[in-house]
Amino acid sequence: MARFFNRRSSSARALLALSASTLALVAQPAAAQDEADNQNTESSQPAVAGGEIIVTAQFREQNLQDTPLAITAVNAATMEAKSQTDLAQVADQAPNVQIRPQTAAYGPSVTASIRGIGQNDFNPAYEPGVGIYIDDIYYPSLTGAIFDTLDLDRVEILRGPQGTLSGRNSIGGAIKMYSKMPNGTNSGFVEGSYGSRNKISVRAAADFALTDKIFARISGVAKRQDGYIDQLDFGCVYPAGGSATFVNSDTGVTMPVNPAGGEPARVFNDSCRVAKLGGVNYQAGRAILRFEPSDKFDFTIIGDYTDDDRTGAGQVLQATRTKSSPNVATPSGLPFDNRFICGKWCNFQVDGQAAGVFVGGIPGANGLALAAVEDSNRTKYRGWGVSGQANLELSDTVQVTSITGYREFDTHFTADGDLSPARTGFGINNLSNWSFSQELRANWEATDTVFVTVGGYYFEQGSVYDSIQDLRYIPPYPLQFRQPDHINADAKAVFANIGWEIVPDLNLNAGVRYTKETKDQNYFRYNLDGTINGFLDPVGVAYGAGYEGPDTNDSDGDGDTTEIVKALTGSVAKYKGDKVDWRVALDYRINEQFLVYASVATGFKGGGSNPRPFNAFQLLSFDPETLTAYEVGVKSDLFDRRLRLNVSAFQNEYKSIQQSVSPCPLPPELSAYATPSACRINGGDARIRGLEAEMNAEPVDGLRLDGAISYLDFKYTYVVPGTGILPTDPGTGMPKWKASAGIQYDIDLASAGSLTPRVDVAYQDETFSGFDGTGVNRLAQYLPSFTTVNARLTWRNEERDLSVALEVTNLTDEYYFYSVFDQRNNNGGRIVAPARPREWALTVKKEF
């Protein structure tokens, strides 16, 4: 894979991250809990009935119930009790929060949204709308963002714009993961699981003291599981001259592949199965070293590594729209139509496209030989990071904090655009990213009632998205090209925040942040032999890469040799922007039971340039999104703290929404260049309103209840004319209603230990997933609503250091979808990613 950034330079940044952190006079970023809380073991229980959860959303340790923010805080015990092993599962039960794995077209990436604002495209030209942080280090991509909950102390989900508290690209909210810190307790755990489809999982962690001043914690996870979508060889299932049947190897019964009104069986003759998609093969590790030479200074260094090498995303072809085009037919001449719909749990994906000859199209296209492209069906992600965090107490009232981090990942994945031997589209994708960040801040307790934070932040990253695209559905010409585009970006910010107890029980929290950012995107469009692609870049072919000047050779054939033209290959799109964000929150504690608050906050998501132009005229820029959010809320602890109920209501004024449209909104004289397209523009403004409620209760000792419910209403207030966007469009990729509920009861068995049954139920309303088509003919697409049930039965011994748990996820075997990729408008199909079917696992855990 071509690389357009200096690896030596990126390695130097990693060393700088380590050395700068070591030498800085810095503060451990407001730890989640004090030392006693950090020794919280895996067998501890969720904080209800008088328990406390400490969060750090406002740059200092605060009780969750004293923080004027809508926060879902989940500790390790809660995640274990709910069988939550990755970030997406944690988000499932938070109100107005959604993280979903994508279809294979987007590789090992996610769509992430909070309160209807986020991002669903992994392309590094786009900024995430939800900020994800690992031990206060910003993770800049949606790729690889379904992190395992390995040895986490807690997860904080902050809903609403965090422009002053977290910075850029947290316009919808922020998700922060915090590792368990070492305390030298000489403790740890080992956990092993076995379950459905040969699921094997091993987790372990150890906390120990190297000296009386140096503590370490190491942890690791390895998990494997067979996939749940059968990938079949179409020619094997439909042999030439044979019948369209398969043999169920479990029952021996011969059945038609796609019976009317039914579906194929889950298990096929092994000779026709190519692979089982949606498998798991994940390994990760983390090491933490904490140095405490005195009670005035401590330093922590964290390193982690992830290796995810598995079969591609589980997905199936759900629908097609037949168009007459010999270019997308199979090598034997079969048109792409519903015959390739395999069923609910299988597809006919192939690992490439056969060679062929293009038929029809513009001059130079007819009769053009097209090469074969192929690759494996595996998705690979490897990432690592190192960060340094330390704390220096300059005086009883002043502490200085520095957080330095470096992260890097590489991923490789392929995507068949039709899940069949047809030749509509195939992509081979390589994406690399490195990022470096440095934050320095000072906390000053000016008086007993005033707490001030000031600081600065620097972020830099480089990405290379090097892909081969084979798109044969374009009517005028074929597209076989390589695009090794690379992007460099940086951001600088200064910020200040003040917490002021105006009078007892009445508090003001206010903050401001100024951010300045830049981004350079470099475009390249080559044929597979390395020459410039003439269909995408005729100017580049005529004059060379990077050319911009008069069209003396009349490269576009319009007869005008004086017009100024530009080569797509070698073009650089530059974006610069700056923004001031602010936040004001007022809270009042009525009594020990009730806190009320109101806040106004802003946030933004950075702009850029269209990353997928099909010609130089489509090099359109888009501006940042902005948001102003108004929120009121109540936090309560009732009935002697046996019931915790938090409620919030909000209204977001959402401006300059970044949206994908087709065709590109070009001037009338350039309409011939408007399609094919995948343009990103600022499409309009909207108002988003919502309600959220979260509850935790322990009505009697041992019985624990929790639940959440949310409502979201999106409405356009303005749409840009000529874009195809309508004021009545749904606009958001989140459900209007979402709810979850859980119940568990600890049964004391005396010397035999305890038994804890638990059940969790989650509901999600139908979700708008985009449009197929353009203008009046476009079709609104929705993912259907669904309800899932998870159950877990846990036995613990009397000493509570040994546990055995039987868990079942998706107990009712609900058939629903994570995501959809619809290309029916381009001779493709509607591809959906079904969620995992019912699965069980038996887990044994030993703590020491």
Side-chain angles (χ1 to χ4, degrees):
M1 182 181 71
R3 300 190 186 278
F4 290 84
F5 59 87
N6 190 316
R7 278 287 181 181
R8 181 175 297 175
S9 175
S10 67
S11 298
R13 287 183 174 89
L15 292 174
L16 177 61
L18 178 58
S19 60
S21 301
T22 305
L23 297 175
L25 300 180
V26 290
Q28 170 80 11
Q33 318 218 21
D34 59 24
E35 187 159 329
D37 288 331
N38 270 333
Q39 294 177 10
N40 179 32
T41 66
E42 288 76 7
S43 61
S44 61
Q45 294 300 324
V48 295
E52 306 291 351
I53 296 180
I54 305 301
V55 296
T56 58
Q58 296 187 140
F59 299 123
R60 56 187 172 127
E61 295 182 4
Q62 288 181 289
N63 189 315
L64 173 68
Q65 295 302 91
D66 292 330
T67 308
L69 282 168
I71 304 177
T72 298
V74 184
N75 65 12
T78 300
M79 288 183 279
E80 180 179 324
K82 294 184 176 183
S83 303
Q84 296 171 339
T85 59
D86 62 51
L87 191 57
Q89 294 170 338
V90 176
D92 273 347
Q93 297 190 359
N96 278 328
V97 180
Q98 181 169 277
I99 297 179
R100 285 281 184 265
Q102 287 277 37
T103 59
Y106 292 95
S109 68
V110 301
T111 172
S113 299
I114 296 178
R115 292 182 170 177
I117 301 168
Q119 180 63 270
N120 61 3
D121 195 324
F122 73 96
N123 195 291
Y126 301 140
E127 304 294 338
V130 173
I132 298 177
Y133 295 81
I134 307 169
D135 293 313
D136 280 334
I137 301 299
Y138 177 61
Y139 188 82
S141 177
L142 295 176
T143 299
I146 297 189
F147 295 100
D148 192 272
T149 56
L150 169 66
D151 207 29
L152 291 182
D153 177 69
R154 76 195 187 286
V155 175
E156 293 179 13
I157 302 177
L158 285 61
R159 303 189 296 278
Q162 305 299 313
T164 60
L165 299 172
S166 298
R168 59 197 285 270
N169 302 328
S170 297
I171 183 173
I175 300 174
K176 299 187 175 184
M177 295 171 285
Y178 293 95
S179 304
K180 288 183 180 293
M181 291 293 114
N183 292 293
T185 55
N186 295 319
S187 63
F189 72 90
V190 177
E191 174 188 286
S193 299
Y194 179 80
S196 301
R197 299 191 312 280
N198 298 313
K199 176 181 178 179
I200 299 175
S201 174
V202 178
R203 297 169 181 266
D207 189 312
F208 50 91
L210 298 176
T211 71
D212 61 346
K213 302 292 185 181
I214 303 176
F215 314 111
R217 188 175 182 97
I218 57 173
S219 55
V221 58
K223 50 187 181 181
R224 296 188 178 186
Q225 187 178 24
D226 294 340
Y228 59 99
I229 299 294
D230 289 307
Q231 182 187 50
L232 305 180
D233 183 322
F234 185 81
C236 177
V237 175
Y238 288 90
S243 60
T245 61
F246 68 88
V247 177
N248 185 322
S249 58
D250 282 348
T251 65
V253 177
T254 300
M255 299 179 63
V257 166
N258 197 11
E263 62 172 285
R266 290 290 307 282
V267 181
F268 299 83
N269 188 309
D270 289 342
S271 63
C272 292
R273 183 189 294 115
V274 177
K276 295 182 74 66
L277 301 180
V280 176
N281 183 26
Y282 180 97
Q283 294 84 39
R286 181 186 298 118
I288 306 175
L289 191 67
R290 187 158 67 96
F291 177 45
E292 291 186 346
S294 73
D295 59 359
K296 302 291 186 181
F297 175 75
D298 66 75
F299 170 70
T300 302
I301 184 169
I302 305 173
D304 66 81
Y305 178 78
T306 299
D307 185 349
D308 188 1
D309 183 354
R310 54 184 167 80
T311 54
Q315 55 183 13
V316 301
L317 180 65
Q318 192 181 55
T320 66
R321 183 187 299 168
T322 303
K323 292 185 178 181
S324 178
S325 173
N327 298 304
V328 302
T330 69
S332 60
L334 294 177
F336 178 60
D337 56 25
N338 285 353
R339 81 186 69 203
F340 296 111
I341 298 176
C342 180
K344 286 184 175 182
W345 301 105
C346 63
N347 66 46
F348 294 116
Q349 185 171 1
V350 292
D351 299 329
Q353 294 194 153
V357 176
F358 194 79
V359 178
I362 64 175
N366 188 40
L368 182 71
L370 300 175
V373 294
E374 61 180 351
D375 200 79
S376 75
N377 65 1
R378 299 196 70 80
T379 292
K380 300 179 181 180
Y381 171 92
R382 290 181 176 88
W384 62 275
V386 60
S387 64
Q389 308 174 1
N391 178 30
L392 177 67
E393 187 175 312
L394 296 178
S395 69
D396 291 341
T397 60
V398 179
Q399 301 85 38
V400 181
T401 300
S402 170
I403 308 168
T404 308
Y406 178 85
R407 298 204 65 85
E408 185 173 310
F409 71 77
D410 294 272
T411 184
H412 173 88
F413 62 94
T414 62
D416 184 345
D418 49 61
L419 301 185
S420 78
R423 295 173 288 185
T424 66
F426 190 81
I428 304 172
N429 303 273
N430 296 280
L431 174 61
S432 297
N433 175 272
W434 62 263
S435 62
F436 170 83
S437 63
Q438 172 64 55
E439 181 173 348
L440 183 65
R441 65 176 179 244
N443 294 332
W444 175 38
E445 191 174 350
T447 70
D448 290 342
T449 60
V450 177
F451 187 90
V452 179
T453 300
V454 295
Y457 179 76
Y458 176 77
F459 176 80
E460 182 182 5
Q461 70 170 324
S463 300
V464 176
Y465 179 37
D466 187 356
S467 72
I468 292 176
Q469 299 295 324
D470 188 356
L471 310 176
R472 307 188 187 185
Y473 57 74
I474 308 298
Y477 46 75
L479 290 179
Q480 276 194 333
F481 62 94
R482 180 183 172 210
Q483 51 176 23
D485 295 352
H486 60 281
I487 301 172
N488 298 307
D490 64 58
K492 308 174 185 69
V494 291
F495 57 89
N497 197 82
I498 182 171
W500 176 28
E501 186 180 13
I502 303 172
V503 296
D505 298 324
L506 178 63
N507 297 281
L508 172 70
N509 193 281
V512 63
R513 179 184 292 249
Y514 171 74
T515 303
K516 184 176 181 180
E517 59 182 10
T518 66
K519 183 185 299 180
D520 294 342
Q521 179 156 350
N522 300 260
Y523 297 88
F524 304 91
R525 296 295 183 270
Y526 298 120
N527 294 312
L528 301 189
D529 62 4
T531 59
I532 295 176
N533 186 287
F535 296 114
L536 293 170
D537 192 7
V539 175
V541 171
Y543 304 104
Y547 178 81
E548 184 172 3
D551 190 12
T552 56
N553 293 334
D554 192 21
S555 61
D556 57 5
D558 64 356
D560 187 352
T561 60
T562 63
E563 63 182 334
I564 301 300
V565 294
K566 184 177 183 178
L568 178 55
T569 300
S571 288
V572 180
K574 294 182 177 293
Y575 159 76
K576 292 183 179 181
D578 62 346
K579 182 72 169 56
V580 175
D581 281 316
W582 53 270
R583 173 179 177 265
V584 178
L586 196 65
D587 66 84
Y588 179 65
R589 179 157 290 284
I590 299 173
N591 51 40
E592 290 186 359
Q593 287 76 41
F594 290 98
L595 175 86
V596 295
Y597 71 89
S599 68
V600 183
T602 69
F604 82 101
K605 180 170 74 173
S609 178
N610 176 23
R612 298 186 179 97
F614 285 83
N615 55 68
F617 296 108
Q618 295 182 4
L619 286 177
L620 303 179
S621 62
F622 53 89
D623 295 327
E625 295 181 344
T626 62
L627 185 78
T628 302
Y630 305 88
E631 181 176 329
V632 295
V634 178
K635 296 191 173 185
S636 63
D637 287 298
L638 307 171
F639 306 112
D640 196 25
R641 308 193 74 176
R642 285 190 175 271
L643 171 64
R644 173 167 292 169
L645 178 62
N646 295 340
V647 180
S648 58
F650 63 90
Q651 177 166 309
N652 293 336
E653 299 297 336
Y654 194 15
K655 304 292 185 181
S656 301
I657 304 171
Q658 298 170 7
Q659 294 170 281
S660 295
V661 296
S662 179
C664 274
L666 298 178
E669 64 272 18
L670 298 176
S671 59
Y673 301 97
T675 57
S677 73
C679 285
R680 176 67 58 103
I681 65 166
N682 299 101
D685 307 331
R687 180 219 68 208
I688 305 176
R689 292 174 176 167
L691 296 170
E692 300 163 345
E694 291 184 283
M695 178 273 294
N696 287 276
E698 189 176 3
V700 297
D701 290 347
L703 177 63
R704 287 174 162 68
L705 309 171
D706 60 79
I709 188 169
S710 59
Y711 171 78
L712 195 68
D713 179 64
F714 179 102
K715 183 178 181 180
Y716 279 106
T717 56
Y718 169 75
V719 296
V720 176
T723 60
I725 301 170
L726 304 177
T728 55
D729 285 351
T732 179
M734 288 194 65
K736 178 165 286 191
W737 287 99
K738 183 182 178 185
S740 63
I743 181 173
Q744 73 177 58
Y745 184 63
D746 298 329
I747 304 171
D748 187 356
L749 302 178
S751 61
S754 66
L755 194 64
T756 306
R758 181 178 178 90
V759 177
D760 288 283
V761 181
Y763 167 78
Q764 182 169 301
D765 203 355
E766 68 175 7
T767 305
F768 173 68
S769 59
F771 290 101
D772 165 42
T774 59
V776 297
N777 295 319
R778 63 183 178 173
L779 302 175
Q781 306 296 306
Y782 290 87
L783 297 178
S785 62
F786 61 86
T787 302
T788 59
V789 181
N790 296 340
R792 184 182 180 100
L793 182 63
T794 304
W795 171 84
R796 289 186 177 89
N797 66 350
E798 186 177 15
E799 292 76 20
R800 301 186 70 81
D801 60 357
L802 175 66
S803 64
V804 180
L806 175 64
E807 66 180 58
V808 181
T809 55
N810 195 5
L811 180 65
T812 59
D813 209 18
E814 181 91 347
Y815 187 75
Y816 65 101
F817 306 124
Y818 287 139
S819 54
V820 61
F821 186 69
D822 201 321
Q823 285 287 293
R824 283 178 289 172
N825 190 53
N826 293 319
N827 274 301
R830 175 180 166 88
I831 295 172
V832 294
R836 308 184 79 82
R838 179 171 51 233
E839 297 179 350
W840 65 269
L842 183 67
T843 301
V844 179
K845 183 176 183 179
K846 172 63 177 173
E847 300 177 41
F848 56 88

